[in-house]
Structure formats: C-alpha cells, structure tokens
Amino acid sequence: MNLSISEQLTYSTVRIECELKTGGVSTGTGFFFDFLEDKEKNTHVPVVITNKHVVRNAKKGKIIITKANEQGEPLDTQHFSVSFENFESFWKLHPDSDVDLCAMPIAPFINEANRKGEKLFYIPLTKELLPTEKHKEELSALEDVLMIGYPNGIWDEVNNMPILRKGSTATHPLNDYNGKKEVMIDIAAFPGSSGSPVLIFNEGGYRDKRGNTYMGINRIILLGVLYAGPQATAKGEIIMTPDFQKPTVISSIPNNLGLIIKAERILELEELFKE
C-alpha cells in the first residue's frame, strides 16, 4: 500500500449522522484520534472527536468505517456500519461549557467488528501532529490549511470518502482570537463541516516566516477543529455561533469564514479517559 499524505488524511474522518429527539436528521464530521498512546507497550485508546453540538439531542446515531482486506489495505467500496441508540450518551464532553468538543471511545465497536471477522481501516490523527515549539517559530500570519469533512452532509458514499477543502488562516495561528484558544480561517464552511479537523498542510515543501524554503519536505500540523462561524442577525449584527449553517440573514456575499478550536484543547479531553 502506497498512500500519499493527502490520501492518508482521507481515512482520518468519519461522517456522523444523527436522528434528533426533536425530529429530523443532521450530519456532522468526526475524526479518529489516539489517546493515552504508549508506544513501548503498544497501547492506546482510540476515539472519535467532534463538537458537542453535533451530537446534542441525538436519540440515534450512525457512523460508517471502511473495511480492510487480509493485508490491512482499505476496501473503499466495502463498509462497516455502526448504529447507536441513545447516541448522545456515548460521548464524553469537554468539562468547559465554552469548549465545543467531545469524544467517544470506539474500541468496543472495533472489537465487535473483529468478532464478526471484519477488519477495519482508518488512520487516526495523533499528538505528534500538534504544533511543536519548532513549528511555532516557523508559523506566519498566513498559512495554507486543509479542512476534511462532510459539508451539507456531502460525501462519496460509494467509496466512503470525505470532501477536502483548502483555505488559509485568517488570523495568526499563534494568537488567541478574541482571547480564546481559537483561530479564524478563510474557508467555506457549511452544515456538516462542524467537527472537521483543520490542518496546516504543505505537501512537497514550504517556506517559513523568515523566508527559508524547505523543498521535498511535508509539513502537516493539526491546527484545530471547526465549530462555528460569523453570521448576520436580523439587525445586521455579526455574531459567532455554532449554528453557522442557519443564518438569520443570508448575505449576498458570504463571509466564507470559520472559527476553529485550537488543537491543544484536544489534550484536555484525554484527561476524561484516564479514569
């Protein structure tokens, strides 16, 4: 199996479909992540991470994971579907009510697939992708970003593949936007994009803030998780809301901006799995 970096990233997300207690169906994005990884013992806690508002009031939920063959290679057109009753109860919520993140352990579902003789294929994001001190010394105000998810629930259903969208940082990634551990990005975000991982993505080379050029080097940094965006109210005021897919007033010129929670806050979720 010889997958490029961008191809590998297409196996890092999962489409989340919810039946709501209030009626209707909603979709969102989750991504695979490894908590409590111990390389010496070869152990970890696999989870799916998304926004709280994606699973809020969900009485039923469904995720679909790609199957693998005996060699551990993906079978894109063969899928393992997992359905949940009381879906909202499966998720561990970030303890800060202002942080729209939650995580669900998936080991039970992986084990269930194994009992049925099914092998699953996904590529989790890891702590190694979080910004390092070296990265922080290189980053400038304007960086290329990649968002992976399911805008408006759109996906390649046959191959169980997400939609890739490119954009850039709209505020400096090292600054806390409006005093919160958040960054604004310049990208088109729609319903279903909530929970999408956003990465600084340079494949084959990049240039740092000092003008140094690094050729033949991939730079992949997990910058954060999309959760909200600016919307206009009926009075013409601009507000930030997780319901960025439901603007009170639709402007003829979309903002095409999204707000992401910085990736470092993902580690605060990990504490919930140490118990």
Side-chain angles (χ1 to χ4, degrees):
M1 181 174 59
N2 184 23
L3 297 175
S4 68
I5 297 296
S6 59
E7 286 172 330
Q8 292 178 47
L9 289 172
T10 62
Y11 295 99
S12 68
T13 63
V14 64
R15 184 176 182 271
I16 299 173
E17 184 174 313
C18 299
E19 291 185 30
L20 304 177
K21 297 174 183 177
T22 54
V25 175
S26 68
T27 59
T29 301
F31 60 94
F32 300 102
F33 200 88
D34 281 346
F35 281 151
L36 303 174
E37 188 174 14
D38 189 326
K39 292 185 177 180
E40 290 184 2
K41 297 181 180 179
N42 194 29
T43 60
H44 63 277
V45 177
V47 302
V48 168
I49 294 174
T50 190
N51 299 137
K52 294 174 182 175
H53 75 264
V54 168
V55 299
R56 186 175 295 130
N57 294 321
K59 64 178 181 179
K60 294 182 180 179
K62 183 172 71 172
I63 63 174
I64 298 173
I65 304 175
T66 297
K67 292 183 181 181
N69 61 21
E70 291 298 324
Q71 290 72 44
E73 300 168 331
L75 299 170
D76 290 338
T77 59
Q78 298 184 33
H79 313 141
F80 185 81
S81 179
V82 185
S83 297
F84 310 79
E85 298 289 339
N86 301 314
F87 190 43
E88 188 177 8
S89 67
F90 283 83
W91 298 82
K92 290 181 179 288
L93 309 182
H94 192 287
D96 189 333
S97 60
D98 288 334
V99 180
D100 195 357
L101 290 175
C102 60
M104 177 179 69
I106 60 171
F109 317 120
I110 296 173
N111 294 336
E112 176 64 20
N114 290 337
R115 282 193 292 270
K116 293 181 178 180
E118 303 284 4
K119 295 181 182 296
L120 304 182
F121 187 89
Y122 64 93
I123 297 179
L125 304 181
T126 68
K127 286 186 254 186
E128 294 177 350
L129 294 177
L130 269 61
T132 64
E133 290 306 314
K134 181 179 183 299
H135 291 146
K136 292 176 182 179
E137 292 173 359
E138 294 178 344
L139 294 177
S140 188
L142 186 65
E143 298 285 350
D144 295 330
V145 297
L146 171 69
M147 184 170 71
I148 311 166
Y150 308 88
N152 286 325
I154 297 169
W155 58 323
D156 180 350
E157 183 176 359
V158 171
N159 295 294
N160 192 29
M161 286 288 177
I163 303 301
L164 306 180
R165 310 203 78 157
K166 295 189 70 176
S168 66
T169 53
T171 62
H172 201 301
L174 300 186
N175 292 342
D176 291 344
Y177 179 76
N178 276 341
K180 293 185 177 182
K181 293 186 181 301
E182 299 175 353
V183 181
M184 187 77 77
I185 58 172
D186 184 358
I187 205 165
F190 294 91
S193 296
S194 291
S196 294
V198 175
L199 304 101
I200 291 177
F201 182 74
N202 305 116
E203 194 170 23
Y206 66 95
R207 187 172 63 180
D208 67 18
K209 65 184 296 182
R210 299 180 183 87
N212 299 313
T213 300
Y214 302 84
M215 298 302 296
I217 297 176
N218 297 323
R219 185 173 65 162
I220 314 296
I221 305 170
L222 179 56
L223 191 61
V225 185
L226 185 83
Y227 87 101
Q231 292 299 308
T233 69
K235 296 180 180 180
E237 300 170 330
I238 300 297
I239 61 172
M240 289 295 169
T241 171
D243 296 323
F244 60 95
Q245 65 269 35
K246 299 176 182 177
T248 306
V249 175
I250 300 177
S251 171
S252 59
I253 304 177
N255 284 314
N256 282 350
L257 294 171
L259 197 59
I260 67 174
I261 301 167
K262 286 188 174 182
E264 63 192 79
R265 306 222 70 163
I266 292 172
L267 299 182
E268 297 165 1
L269 279 175
E270 186 176 44
E271 296 297 317
L272 303 176
F273 292 83
K274 290 181 178 179
E275 302 171 359

